[in-house]
């Protein structure tokens, strides 16, 4: 390995990389590709990629938090019953589920970087559509489309980043969750500026002052518009940053080892130390996840579907008229040449963008649900779904619950800091505190993942412990009274739940091999959205009984 990877500038750093390589070789740890990526090390390229991936994570939670904050105001705008308002969040999560499946499969078929650059662009377009619509069903549909875009960012971005990080630095993937927390902070702070002064605060109360909901209750629209502008900026940052390269591990498993060599050389150069990489240095026959997720026959089936995307069927649409004229001339005289071309092109497009991805996804999932992988796959997918159900039902209705608890009643003793505060501003400040409190949770999760081996803790055991602490914090939130006690338990819930999710997000991609990593992570994310779909509908029912039940659930 050291003979084929040489640093051309002759700097002293070669000794460091050689030592690392010798340690890795002595431990027998990883494949030649793993050791090549380890030798390149963690540098500016990887940190930049992590930051750009973080934008997708931020956009995901930013829009989720925005929908949660907007729910009461949307209910006023469209006179939606409490039992039905949850459909807005449910449609958002339904879109996220489909988006995770779609974009995850496409990232395995077409490449990580293409999906990486498309998702936020679609999110910005559909976010503007949500700002513009004038009916509640239209808003639900717009949020469904928005969900398909942002729902694909997190699993595909995590996969893209993981496949470029050195093995000893993969715990940094967990720290991406800090962007997830920042996304909710962005939404909450933006809402604090635009919603209180542009909303009918108590329009549902007969004694409330008159308010024209068509003119004076547009704060949630302004929130969606500003977040659309922010999403456009995120998307442009990704698209205009042209120094990113396709995942080298994806290229190797597509049979494009020459391209992988070129990409790894460019990444090494971007990090400031040019290394010579050969074909032998990118072999990746034995995966770090352990075991074969698919049989040789299934692996050939996956490759066959993948190759069809770039095969003659797809490329025929790009042939010049001079090369395709002969085949057109063979069409029956009675059939219009133009009609035949359109029909053929439409059929090819259907197969390319719908048929082939579905078949490829089915092939990969079938491999994940067979043999030694079945138990691991079902367990991790079940964890995702159940954690999402609990977290979402709490997060979606937190603004409503805080508003309820802030009103002086004999039961809650009045948790408001000052009687003169707006009935909307107070709870929104508490949402801001909640979201800010979650930011250190991402760093806590990254630290715990890094420290767990020293404590002889596996990542699943670590996840179990942090999840238990989150549950205790939720119970405390329900039982305490008094403003500062509520704030303290709210921050505790935010901190521990963010750490919990950061551990799960960082752990999941490492469990699966390259050919199915995007599909496996995307399907896990999609199943979590099923929990997200159920949560707001169940939460609406519980809020009607007692708002505190959404926490106990």
């Amino acid at each position: 390995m050291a003979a084929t990877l040489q640093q051309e500038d002759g700097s002293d750093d070669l000794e460091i990389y050689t030592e690392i390589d010798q340690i890795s070789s002595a431990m027998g740890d990883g494949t030649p590709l793993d050791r090549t990526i380890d030798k390149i090390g963690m540098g500016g390229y990887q940190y930049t990629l992590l930051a750009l991936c973080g934008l997708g994570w931020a956009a995901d939670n930013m829009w989720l938090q925005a929908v949660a904050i907007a729910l009461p105001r949307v209910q006023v705008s469209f006179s939606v019953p409490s039992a039905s308002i949850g459909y807005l969040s449910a449609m958002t999560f339904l879109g996220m589920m489909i988006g995770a499946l779609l974009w995850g499969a496409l990232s395995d078929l077409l490449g990580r970087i293409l999906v990486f650059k498309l998702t936020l662009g679609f999110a910005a377009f559909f976010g503007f559509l949500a700002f513009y619509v004038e009916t509640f069903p239209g808003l639900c549909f717009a949020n469904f489309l928005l969900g398909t875009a942002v729902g694909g960012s997190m699993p595909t971005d995590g996969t893209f980043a993981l496949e470029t990080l050195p093995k000893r630095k993969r715990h940094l993937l967990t720290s991406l969750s800090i962007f997830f927390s920042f996304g909710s902070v962005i939404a909450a702070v933006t809402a604090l500026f635009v919603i209180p002064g542009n909303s009918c605060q108590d329009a549902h109360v007969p004694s409330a002052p008159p308010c024209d909901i068509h003119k004076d209750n547009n704060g949630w629209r302004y929130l969606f518009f500003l977040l659309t502008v922010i999403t456009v900026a995120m998307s442009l940052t990704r698209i205009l940053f042209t120094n990113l390269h396709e995942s080298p591990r994806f290229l190797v498993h597509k049979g494009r080892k020459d391209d992988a060599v070129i990409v790894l050389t460019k990444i090494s150069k971007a990090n400031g130390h040019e290394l010579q990489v050969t074909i032998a240095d990118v072999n990746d026959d034995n995966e770090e996840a352990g075991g074969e997720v698919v049989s040789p026959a299934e692996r050939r089936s996956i490759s066959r579907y993948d190759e069809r995307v770039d095969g003659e069927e797809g490329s025929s649409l790009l042939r010049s008229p001079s090369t395709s004229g002969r085949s057109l001339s063979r069409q029956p005289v009675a059939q219009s040449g133009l009609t035949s071309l359109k029909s053929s092109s439409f059929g090819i497009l259907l197969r390319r963008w719908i048929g082939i991805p579905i078949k490829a996804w089915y092939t990969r999932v079938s491999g994940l649900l067979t043999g030694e992988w079945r138990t691991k796959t079902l367990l991790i997918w079940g964890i995702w779904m159940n954690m999402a159900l609990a977290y979402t039902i709490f997060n979606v209705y937190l603004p409503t619950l805080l508003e309820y608890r802030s009103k002086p009643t004999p039961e809650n003793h009045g948790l408001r800091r000052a009687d003169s505060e707006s009935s909307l501003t107070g709870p929104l400040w508490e949402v801001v505190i909640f979201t800010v409190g979650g930011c250190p949770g991402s760093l806590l999760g990254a630290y715990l993942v890094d420290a767990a081996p020293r404590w002889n803790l596996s990542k699943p055991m670590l996840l179990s412990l942090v999840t238990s602490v989150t549950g205790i914090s939720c119970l405390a939130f329900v039982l305490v009274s008094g403003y500062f006690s509520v704030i303290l338990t709210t921050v505790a819930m935010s901190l521990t739940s963010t750490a919990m999710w950061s551990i799960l997000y960082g752990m999941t991609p490492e469990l699966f091999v390259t050919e199915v990593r995007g599909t496996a992570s995307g399907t896990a994310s999609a199943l979590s959205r099923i929990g997200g779909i159920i949560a707001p509908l169940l939460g609406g029912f519980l809020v009607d009984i007692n708002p505190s039940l959404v926490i106990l659930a």
Side-chain angles (χ1 to χ4, degrees):
M1 182 70 171
T4 55
L5 282 170
Q6 299 175 355
Q7 189 160 353
E8 296 178 346
D9 59 5
S11 71
D12 294 336
D13 289 342
L14 177 59
E15 297 179 3
I16 298 175
Y17 293 108
T18 303
E19 181 180 356
I20 292 171
D21 186 49
Q22 291 172 346
I23 294 173
S24 298
S25 299
M27 296 176 61
D29 190 17
T31 65
L33 178 59
D34 291 327
R35 294 193 291 271
T36 301
I37 294 175
D38 284 344
K39 185 177 283 287
I40 290 173
M42 191 74 187
Y45 180 87
Q46 285 81 5
Y47 285 116
T48 299
L49 177 60
L50 282 173
L52 292 175
C53 287
L55 297 180
W57 290 48
D60 187 295
N61 205 30
M62 180 179 73
W63 281 105
L64 284 179
Q65 190 68 56
V67 173
I69 292 172
L71 277 182
R73 313 279 71 81
V74 170
Q75 185 174 4
V76 171
S77 286
F78 299 113
S79 301
V80 181
S82 296
S84 302
I85 189 62
Y87 282 108
L88 180 60
S89 291
M91 289 298 290
T92 305
F93 279 101
L94 177 62
M96 287 182 162
M97 180 188 71
I98 294 175
L101 291 171
L102 172 66
W103 293 109
L106 287 177
S107 74
D108 284 336
L109 281 170
L110 305 178
R112 315 303 194 203
I113 196 165
L114 176 63
V115 171
F116 175 80
K117 291 187 175 182
L118 287 178
T119 49
L120 289 186
F122 281 103
F125 176 78
F126 295 137
F128 180 78
L129 184 63
F131 153 78
Y132 187 76
V133 295
E134 295 290 341
T135 65
F136 183 68
L139 181 61
C140 288
F141 180 67
N143 273 48
F144 165 78
L145 296 176
L146 174 63
T148 62
V150 295
S153 288
M154 293 186 69
T156 55
D157 292 354
T159 297
F160 189 21
L162 175 72
E163 294 178 349
T164 310
L165 293 177
K167 196 169 186 178
R168 64 190 184 280
K169 293 293 185 179
R170 287 181 180 175
H171 67 276
L172 292 178
L173 186 64
T174 306
S175 64
L176 276 179
S177 295
I178 196 170
F179 289 92
F180 191 74
S181 299
F182 280 149
S184 61
V185 172
I186 293 170
V189 171
T190 305
L192 186 63
F193 282 100
V194 299
I195 284 186
N198 298 283
S199 300
C200 297
Q201 299 178 7
D202 297 303
H204 58 286
V205 178
S207 59
C211 181
D212 187 342
I213 61 175
H214 300 291
K215 295 181 180 178
D216 302 325
N217 195 58
N218 290 320
W220 66 270
R221 292 186 185 275
Y222 303 150
L223 173 63
F224 281 11
F225 177 77
L226 290 176
L227 296 189
T228 297
V229 174
I230 293 172
T231 307
V232 168
M234 293 177 173
S235 177
L236 290 177
T237 301
R238 283 185 167 188
I239 294 173
L240 297 179
F241 197 91
T242 57
N243 292 327
L244 291 182
H245 310 290
E246 182 57 88
S247 159
R249 200 176 296 275
F250 170 83
L251 292 173
V252 169
H253 286 268
K254 280 289 189 178
R256 298 164 56 186
K257 292 187 177 182
D258 290 335
D259 292 334
V261 168
I262 295 172
V263 165
L264 288 168
T265 302
K266 289 181 178 179
I267 293 175
S268 174
K269 185 176 182 180
N271 284 352
H273 39 78
E274 298 184 17
L275 302 173
Q276 286 185 335
V277 184
T278 70
I279 294 295
D281 299 323
V282 298
N283 288 329
D284 196 37
D285 295 331
N286 299 313
E287 281 283 352
E288 69 280 359
E292 287 291 333
V293 70
V294 290
S295 66
E298 288 167 330
R299 187 182 294 271
R300 288 193 297 271
S301 180
I302 289 174
S303 299
R304 183 166 62 252
Y305 286 128
D306 292 352
E307 288 167 0
R308 287 181 62 189
V309 176
D310 299 316
E312 293 182 359
E313 240 181 4
S315 63
S316 63
L317 289 175
L318 305 177
R319 290 175 183 165
S320 65
S322 61
T323 61
S324 59
R326 290 187 297 273
S327 60
L328 286 175
S329 65
R330 296 191 185 104
Q331 299 294 331
V333 177
Q335 184 179 16
S336 166
L338 180 60
T339 302
S340 174
L341 178 60
K342 288 182 177 180
S343 175
S344 174
S345 300
F346 181 71
I348 291 172
L349 287 175
L350 281 180
R351 288 191 294 272
R352 180 181 176 90
W353 296 106
I354 299 178
I356 293 176
I358 290 176
K359 290 179 180 178
W361 176 83
Y362 177 79
T363 300
R364 288 176 167 85
V365 170
S366 297
L368 287 167
L369 297 178
T370 56
E372 65 184 80
W373 286 88
R374 182 189 294 112
T375 301
K376 180 187 290 187
T377 300
L378 292 178
L379 281 175
I380 198 69
W381 287 355
I383 291 171
W384 273 79
M385 183 173 176
N386 285 283
M387 282 178 53
L389 175 62
Y391 179 79
T392 304
I393 198 172
F394 162 74
N395 199 53
V396 166
Y397 286 99
L398 177 64
T400 301
L401 180 59
L402 289 173
E403 188 171 341
Y404 167 79
R405 296 191 68 169
S406 69
K407 295 178 181 179
T409 67
E411 289 77 15
N412 63 26
H413 307 290
L415 302 180
R416 199 173 283 284
R417 287 171 295 176
D419 293 338
S420 60
E421 284 188 3
S422 164
S423 62
L424 295 182
T425 303
L428 282 176
W429 266 114
E430 291 159 11
V431 172
V432 171
I433 293 172
F434 169 78
T435 56
V436 172
C439 292
S442 306
L443 300 178
L444 175 63
Y447 169 76
L448 292 175
V449 168
D450 187 43
R454 299 195 297 270
W455 303 334
N456 295 321
L457 285 177
S458 64
K459 290 180 182 177
M461 180 60 70
L462 179 64
L463 178 65
S464 177
L465 291 174
V466 176
T467 303
S468 299
V469 176
T470 303
I472 294 172
S473 300
C474 291
L475 181 61
F477 177 81
V478 174
L479 296 177
V480 301
S481 60
Y483 175 75
F484 289 105
S485 297
V486 169
I487 292 298
L488 182 62
T489 53
T490 299
V491 171
M493 286 189 298
S494 180
L495 180 69
T496 55
S497 63
T498 305
M500 174 185 72
W501 277 109
S502 67
I503 294 169
L504 182 62
Y505 272 113
M507 180 179 74
T508 301
E510 294 184 1
L511 298 176
F512 301 98
V513 295
T514 301
E515 294 97 331
V516 294
R517 183 173 287 138
T519 298
S521 299
T523 304
S525 182
L527 291 173
S528 76
R529 306 308 183 183
I530 294 179
I533 294 168
I534 298 171
L537 303 179
L538 177 62
F541 172 75
L542 295 176
V543 165
D544 277 343
I545 300 174
N546 188 319
S548 294
L549 290 178
V550 301
I551 306 298
L552 293 176

